[in-house]
Amino acid sequence: MNKPERAPGGAPCAPDSEGEDAPDSAVNVRMRELTRLVLDGGVPREYSKRALRLTEADLTSRQLAGAVLADADLSAATLVRANLSGASLPGADLGGADLTRADLTGADLDRCCAHAAIFEDAVLRNASARRADLVASHGARADLTGADLTGAHLEAADLSHARLRGADLTDADCRRAGFEGADLTGARLPALSLLRGVVWTRETVWPAGVADKVVAVSQEAGRGRFRILALPPGRTARVNP
């Protein structure tokens, strides 16, 4: 199944109704078998060229470490406390999925569509989410240590109190994201233009040499919160030393 593309602005994936198989086709039978395997805690490593569909599935606490789920449809699925460490999910649809406290250590989430997904208290250490759509996602207190978020769409994402130590946010669109209390020690940040509207607090830990630059382009937003505004004249466009 060819996954629908997100619009550049991060609009939710449009449904793809092309190429539907008959209800009793061999492909659909295989999909039902794989659905049963996943729901029973199995790890599907090979499947037909059609992407696995598990929309709204309840996969709470399932053991899916190392699962190969490229382009799978997991939109609105419940993956609370699921073990997806080392899982391969490139291009998967996780829109609206609940991954609270899920283990995604080392997972491949490149180009995944996780619009408004919940990653609160989830572990994504050393995960790869290059060019992923994480618009309006909820990642409060998530552990993203060493994660690769190059080119990811993080507009309006909640990363409050998240651990982003050593994370790579090069070219990531973080406009209007919430970094209140986040730990960005050693992280690589995008251009200041891609941080416009970011909200942070005095508890936010910026990479070495970055805090002064951020302060220079921020304005107090009340209650100990600050918001990054437009670049001042003559200021460089990047914040990394």
Side-chain angles (χ1 to χ4, degrees):
M1 174 181 175
N2 294 322
K3 295 298 295 178
E5 296 291 335
R6 290 265 182 174
C13 292
D16 181 3
S17 59
E18 296 182 2
E20 294 296 328
D21 292 292
D24 295 325
S25 70
V27 170
N28 280 347
V29 170
R30 180 62 174 151
M31 289 301 99
R32 286 196 293 272
E33 292 175 353
L34 286 167
T35 300
R36 178 180 56 77
L37 285 173
V38 173
L39 291 173
D40 288 343
V43 179
R45 290 189 174 277
E46 294 181 359
Y47 48 90
S48 84
K49 293 181 181 180
R50 297 281 295 181
L52 186 62
R53 296 183 181 180
L54 290 168
T55 303
E56 298 183 348
D58 185 355
L59 299 169
T60 301
S61 300
R62 295 296 177 178
Q63 295 299 315
L64 298 167
V68 178
L69 297 167
D71 298 314
D73 186 351
L74 289 156
S75 56
T78 300
L79 290 148
V80 175
R81 298 186 303 278
N83 182 2
L84 286 155
S85 58
S88 180
L89 293 145
D93 188 348
L94 291 164
D98 188 351
L99 293 112
T100 301
R101 297 195 295 280
D103 185 354
L104 291 142
T105 303
D108 180 356
L109 297 163
D110 291 350
R111 308 181 315 282
C112 77
C113 178
H115 191 98
I118 301 172
F119 293 94
E120 293 181 358
D121 298 294
V123 178
L124 296 102
R125 295 176 70 91
N126 300 314
S128 180
R130 297 168 64 90
R131 300 187 302 282
D133 177 359
L134 295 160
V135 174
S137 59
H138 306 273
R141 301 172 302 281
D143 186 353
L144 290 145
T145 302
D148 187 351
L149 296 161
T150 303
H153 296 277
L154 288 158
E155 301 100 308
D158 177 9
L159 291 167
S160 57
H161 304 285
R163 292 181 292 281
L164 290 146
R165 297 173 68 92
D168 192 346
L169 291 149
T170 303
D171 297 326
D173 191 341
C174 301
R175 290 174 296 176
R176 297 179 290 110
F179 280 21
E180 299 96 324
D183 185 354
L184 291 141
T185 304
R188 291 190 59 80
L189 300 182
L192 277 169
S193 60
L194 294 175
L195 292 170
R196 186 173 300 171
V198 161
V199 175
W200 57 279
T201 61
R202 291 186 177 88
E203 291 73 34
T204 301
V205 181
W206 297 101
V210 169
D212 289 345
K213 298 177 182 180
V214 170
V215 169
V217 293
S218 296
Q219 184 179 73
E220 190 165 4
R223 297 185 179 180
R225 299 160 71 244
F226 302 85
R227 181 175 286 108
I228 297 177
L229 304 177
L231 274 163
R235 180 74 57 174
T236 58
R238 302 200 68 84
V239 293
N240 292 308

